[in-house]
Structure formats: C-alpha cells, structure tokens
C-alpha cells in the first residue's frame, strides 16, 4: 500500500476520529483494537447489527493470517479516503486500519437478516418455477445465474445515490443484447442525480423515455424465469439492492398481457389464456362506457325485453347512468385498496362485506340500479385477470375517461377515445422500440406470438423489436 495515495495516517486514533466525524458521530460505530505478532497495531471498525458476528470472530481469530494472505488473494478492498471507509461501513463491511504502512482495507462481513427465497405473492403461478427474488442484490444475481448458467451472461455493478449510495446490477447476454441499447441505458443511469434511491421505481422514472405518461415504459417482475426469458430475447435486466422487483427493458404495450406461465402449458391452453387476458383488458376498460352510452343514447340497439328490464331497474334511481357508473367504480376502487392495505384475513372480509352488503344496500336505497352493480362487478373481475403490473392501473384509470366520453357522445365518444389512446401509444418509445410493436408498425409473424402463444419449435427467431445481435434462438423450425 506504500505506493498508493491515501488520506490515512500512522495515527490510528486520529483515523478513527476522522471516520467518526465522517459518519456524523453515529453511536452504532464500534472500534476494536488488536495488535499483530509483529507489534503493528490494528483497529477494526464496524457498525453494530450490520455485520455477521461469527464472521467477525473468525476474522479476529485469524487476523494475522488474513492480513498476510487474505489481501494478497483479493479478499479485501483497499481504501484511500475516509469517505470510502464510511461508505464501506454503511454497506456492511468491516474496515481494518493500519499504521505501518498507513492505510485501510474493507472486508465484506454483511450479516443483515433477509427473508429467504420464496414464491412471489404478486406473481403466483399454477405451473412453473416458484422461486422469487429477495431484497439481496447478490442473491438475486445468483438466482439469475442459477436459471441461466451461461458464460455469456454479463453482470455490471454500479453505485447510485450521492448521499446514500446503493448498488445495482445491469444484466445482459453477450452476442444477443444490442450494445447500443446497453450503452443508452448506462448513459441514463449516469444522469441519475438523486441523493438516494429506495427502490426500483426510482430507477424506472429516471430512465424512462416518457416520464409524464401513466403507461409503464419498462417491465417489473419478481420471477427469475421471466428475467432469463427476457435476457434471451435480447432485453436487459436491472437489479436494485433492497428491492425484489427487477426492471426489464425495452418494453412494449402488448407484453403487459403476457405471463411466464403461458409457456408452461401447451400452446392451446397458453394461447387461450393470453387471448382471455387481452379480452378482459378491453372489457375492463370499455364495459362501463358501453353501458353508459347504450342506456343514454343508443336504446335502439338493445332488445325490447332487456330495455324494459333496464328501465324498470333504473326507475327508482334519481341519478343518470354516468353518475351511477362513477359511484360504483369509485366504491370498487376503495374496496380494492382497502383489501390490499389491510391484513390478509381482514382484507378478505372487507372485500366480501363491501361487495355483498354495500352493493345490496345501495340497490335497496335506490342509489344505483342492479344492472350497474353487475357491470361494475364484471369490470372489476376482468381487471383481476390481468398481471399485477402498472398497466393494470392504467387500464383502470382509463375506465373513468372512457365513461366520461361515452356520457357526452355515446359510441362516437368511445371510438374517439380509443383512437386518441392508440395514437398516443403509437407515439411512445421504450429505448427506441415502438411501444405498440409488433402491431404498429405491423409485423404479422411476431404479432401472432403476442396475441397467441406459438408452439416453441416454431419460434426459431427472436423478436426483431429488441434488435438482438443474434436473431436466432435456434436454426430451423420457424414457420
């Protein structure tokens, strides 16, 4: 260490005082004094609760051996400043301070208790792997490597956050991932000027092409198998320390209706489930609007018997259909949010009570009609079939806008709203990839594997949207 410039001096007490000052005199900073057989004093600094005590005891018991051999084999990281020492301590390292020659080394002894690998609650599956990411960055990278034991898998570690730096890992596959997209991602990460980053959503909003849109510009998942599938398609994964959600990019609109489980069933079942989710997405967005438009403007399209039934049900209700619709949609969103935020057992009871008792009471009180309760319930159930991602929330927000347009212009308002929405989506890009691809611009071969789940032997080519270097998953078999 003698040839390395360092802020540390031969006075260990002064070095310890400088570290305490850098760390705002925090009271969980602990120092242990030891002396090597050579007579050289050593100070060991660590934060109480951040390190594994057994590992610390092993380090103290074999300190001389570690100093003689450990650093020679790269088991410790050299430090040149008190700020580096403070950052290492905050990251769960022990810092060894030496006086001859002056310097410091960081040894990773992180011992924070984290939850073990378990099935992610937000992406449960009937058939397929059940492992989910945790809050440990190193464990998450290891999980991806377990599912993708490829020597071409590349991991790039970064630090972000000027006041509270945390680690993130950028994963790509050499020979498949487009280097231009990877370069653009690194450029956007370098532009992040946040003091601290709590979770992956902070990264998502910083690197998104369009920060003012309610539609997700990147995908988020807790499942390692989905990450590996995305990497093999030429996409990039970003893992953030302290969060189990992994960012996948680029991302296109129709991917929001896909789940990894589609490929663990045969292609008939997988295709049926995928088309069902797309249909439920459309129904969840447009059904209240169609109801309002029909009962307000387009009576002639309803069979006479059904129209009489609807009129009889609406007779005691003093509000127009659009007010009924908004009341029920707001009530459903309140019940959904209450069910999520409360403990599971109580949350389920709240949902059942809200759906049965409040709905029945609202009908008997003449606030809403029975047909509106049916429409609201069916709309809510349709949104439950969608994967729990940001697109789900966007579709639920669109319900309100489409219903408002339907109340003004009927079916014409719905069509106008759909046209404006599609035009807006067509203008979006995710790292240069058209957001409506492969529907716009149209690629019929790839669109078939988005709307339905094509048989795996027919998918010899990777999606061209992500501009993968190697366009083939395997040679031959592509239909």
């Amino acid at each position: 260490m003698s040839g390395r410039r360092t802020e540390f001096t031969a006075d260990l007490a002064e070095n310890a005082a400088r570290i305490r000052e850098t760390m705002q005199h925090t009271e969980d900073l602990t120092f242990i004094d030891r002396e090597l057989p050579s007579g050289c004093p050593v100070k060991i600094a660590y934060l109480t609760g951040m390190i594994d005590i057994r590992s610390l005891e092993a380090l103290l018991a074999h300190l001389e051996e570690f100093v003689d051999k450990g650093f020679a084999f790269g088991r410790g990281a050299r430090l040149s400043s008190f700020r580096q020492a403070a950052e290492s301590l905050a990251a769960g390292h022990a810092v060894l301070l030496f006086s001859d020659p002056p310097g410091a080394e960081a040894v990773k002894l992180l011992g924070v208790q984290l939850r073990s690998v378990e099935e992610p609650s937000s992406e449960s599956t009937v058939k397929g792997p059940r492992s989910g990411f945790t809050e440990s960055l190193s464990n998450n990278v290891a999980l991806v490597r377990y599912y993708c034991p490829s020597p071409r898998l590349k991991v790039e570690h970064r630090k972000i956050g000027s006041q509270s730096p945390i680690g993130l890992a950028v994963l790509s596959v050499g020979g498949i991932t487009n280097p231009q997209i990877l370069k653009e991602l690194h450029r956007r990460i370098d532009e992040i000027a946040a003091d601290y980053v709590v979770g992956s959503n902070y990264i998502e909003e910083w690197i998104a092409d369009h920060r003012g849109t309610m539609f997700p510009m990147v995908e988020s998942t807790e499942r390692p198998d989905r990450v590996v599938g995305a990497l093999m398609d030429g996409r990039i994964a970003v893992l953030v320390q302290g969060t189990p959600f992994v960012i996948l990019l680029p991302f296109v609109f129709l991917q929001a209706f896909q789940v990894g489980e589609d490929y663990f069933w045969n292609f008939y079942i997988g295709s049926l489930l995928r088309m069902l989710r797309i249909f439920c997405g459309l129904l969840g967005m447009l059904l209240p609007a169609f109801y309002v438009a029909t009962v307000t403007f387009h009576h002639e399209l309803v069979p006479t018997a059904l129209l009489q039934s609807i009129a009889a049900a609406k007779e005691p209700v003093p509000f127009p259909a659009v007010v009924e619709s908004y009341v029920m949609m707001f009530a459903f969103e309140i019940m959904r949010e209450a069910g999520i935020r409360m403990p599971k057992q109580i949350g389920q009871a709240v949902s059942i009570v809200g759906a049965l008792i409040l709905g029945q009471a609202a009908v008997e009180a003449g606030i809403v009609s029975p047909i509106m309760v049916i429409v609201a319930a069916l709309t809510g159930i349709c949104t439950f079939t969608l994967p729990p991602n940001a697109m789900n929330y966007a579709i639920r927000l669109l319900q309100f806008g489409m219903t408002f347009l339907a109340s003004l212009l009927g079916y014409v308002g719905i069509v106008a709203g759909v046209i404006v929405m599609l035009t807006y989506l067509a203008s979006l890009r995710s790292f240069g990839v058209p957001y409506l691809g492969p529907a716009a611009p149209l690629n019929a071969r790839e669109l078939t594997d988005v709307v339905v789940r094509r048989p795996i032997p027919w998918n010899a080519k990777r999606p061209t949207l992500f501009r993968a270097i190697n366009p083939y998953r395997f040679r031959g078999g592509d239909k």
Side-chain angles (χ1 to χ4, degrees):
M1 291 187 295
S2 57
R4 182 184 176 90
R5 295 187 61 183
T6 177
E7 294 181 1
F8 299 96
T9 67
D11 189 342
L12 296 185
E14 180 184 348
N15 293 340
R18 291 286 302 276
I19 292 177
R20 282 191 182 277
E21 182 182 355
T22 305
M23 300 199 69
Q24 307 300 311
H25 298 281
T26 179
E27 294 183 359
D28 58 346
L29 178 60
T30 304
F31 288 92
I32 298 177
D33 292 309
R34 285 291 187 272
E35 187 173 300
L36 299 177
S38 61
C40 178
V42 178
K43 269 189 183 293
I44 303 171
Y46 65 92
L47 290 176
T48 304
M50 286 292 292
I51 67 170
D52 181 60
I53 297 299
R54 292 184 179 180
S55 299
L56 176 62
E57 292 174 350
L59 174 65
L60 295 175
H62 304 88
L63 184 59
E64 181 184 10
E65 180 182 354
F66 188 86
V67 171
D68 291 340
K69 300 179 181 179
F71 298 130
F73 288 95
R75 296 176 185 171
R78 293 181 178 179
L79 306 173
S80 60
S81 67
F82 293 106
R83 180 176 178 82
Q84 287 183 354
E87 290 177 352
S88 297
L89 289 167
H93 297 147
V95 173
L96 279 63
L97 302 173
F98 302 97
S99 61
D100 186 21
E105 305 278 355
V107 183
K108 187 174 183 180
L109 301 179
L110 182 64
V112 176
Q113 294 296 318
L114 299 171
R115 64 187 177 96
S116 58
V117 175
E118 56 190 24
E119 183 177 2
S121 58
S122 64
E123 293 181 83
S124 58
T125 180
V126 176
K127 188 177 181 181
R130 300 185 183 275
S131 300
F133 291 116
T134 67
E135 287 73 21
S136 171
L137 179 60
S138 57
N139 286 352
N140 292 345
V141 173
L143 268 177
V144 176
R145 284 207 175 274
Y146 175 80
Y147 281 91
C148 181
S150 170
R152 290 184 174 272
L153 179 60
K154 180 181 179 181
V155 180
E156 300 173 89
H157 287 280
R158 305 287 298 272
K159 288 280 189 180
I160 54 174
S162 58
Q163 295 297 328
S164 178
I166 68 167
L168 62 81
V170 178
L171 275 60
S172 58
V173 179
I176 297 179
T177 305
N178 189 297
Q180 296 300 320
I181 299 179
L182 185 61
K183 182 180 178 181
E184 175 64 17
L185 171 62
H186 281 294
R187 185 190 68 79
R188 296 186 187 184
I189 291 176
D190 290 336
E191 291 180 351
I192 297 178
D195 286 346
Y196 64 96
V197 172
V198 176
S200 58
N201 186 65
Y202 280 58
I203 309 296
E204 292 179 20
E205 294 196 18
W206 274 101
I207 66 176
D209 293 63
H210 307 271
R211 296 173 182 171
T213 180
M214 66 178 177
F215 295 97
M217 291 289 98
V218 296
E219 184 179 1
S220 182
T221 182
E222 290 185 80
R223 301 185 62 87
D225 55 305
R226 291 206 68 179
V227 172
V228 172
L231 290 171
M232 289 303 171
D233 279 343
R235 300 167 72 193
I236 303 170
V238 180
L239 288 68
V240 184
Q241 178 183 330
T243 177
F245 293 95
V246 173
I247 301 169
L248 299 176
L249 54 95
F251 175 69
V252 296
F253 177 79
L254 289 174
Q255 284 182 312
F257 302 97
Q258 301 178 9
V259 297
E261 191 177 353
D262 290 346
Y263 289 91
F264 292 100
W265 298 101
N266 68 59
F267 64 93
Y268 290 109
I269 298 176
S271 299
L272 176 63
L273 294 175
R274 186 173 292 182
M275 289 187 293
L276 179 65
R277 283 191 294 273
I278 295 174
F279 174 75
C280 287
L282 292 172
L283 203 63
M285 181 176 64
L286 299 176
L287 182 60
F290 269 108
Y291 169 77
V292 171
T294 301
V295 300
T296 305
F297 296 101
H298 307 287
H299 302 152
E300 69 279 1
L301 298 179
V302 182
T304 303
L306 179 58
L307 183 61
Q308 290 174 345
S309 176
I310 294 175
K314 281 185 60 61
E315 184 177 356
V317 179
F319 307 112
V322 63
V323 175
E324 278 189 278
S325 180
Y326 273 119
V327 168
M328 289 306 300
M329 287 192 292
F330 272 119
F332 198 92
E333 291 300 324
I334 291 171
M335 287 187 291
R336 188 204 304 257
E337 190 68 14
I340 293 173
R341 302 304 166 199
M342 298 182 72
K344 285 187 177 180
Q345 295 81 0
I346 302 177
Q348 293 174 357
V350 168
S351 299
I352 295 173
V353 169
L356 296 179
I357 298 180
L358 291 182
Q360 183 65 28
V363 172
E364 293 180 355
I367 298 175
V368 296
S369 62
I371 188 67
M372 187 64 243
V373 175
I374 296 173
V375 170
L378 183 57
T379 301
I381 292 172
C382 285
T383 59
F384 282 136
T385 66
L386 304 178
N389 51 34
M391 192 66 73
N392 191 317
Y393 288 91
I395 288 175
R396 283 154 53 186
L397 285 174
L398 286 171
Q399 292 175 4
F400 295 91
M402 292 296 181
T403 302
F404 177 73
L405 290 175
S407 69
L408 295 179
L409 300 172
Y411 290 161
V412 175
I414 296 175
V415 173
V418 171
I419 291 174
V420 170
M421 182 189 71
L422 291 177
T423 304
Y424 174 70
L425 292 177
S427 69
L428 299 180
R429 296 289 186 273
S430 176
F431 284 82
V433 174
Y435 197 58
L436 280 185
L442 179 63
N443 186 321
R445 187 192 70 83
E446 293 183 9
L447 185 61
T448 58
D449 192 45
V450 174
V451 178
V452 299
R453 204 279 274 172
R454 299 181 74 200
I456 293 175
W458 292 6
N459 275 343
K461 289 186 177 181
R462 294 186 171 88
T464 57
L465 280 173
F466 308 129
R467 303 196 294 274
I469 300 301
N470 181 359
Y472 289 95
R473 294 188 179 100
F474 53 88
R475 296 287 177 175
D478 192 43
K479 301 294 183 181

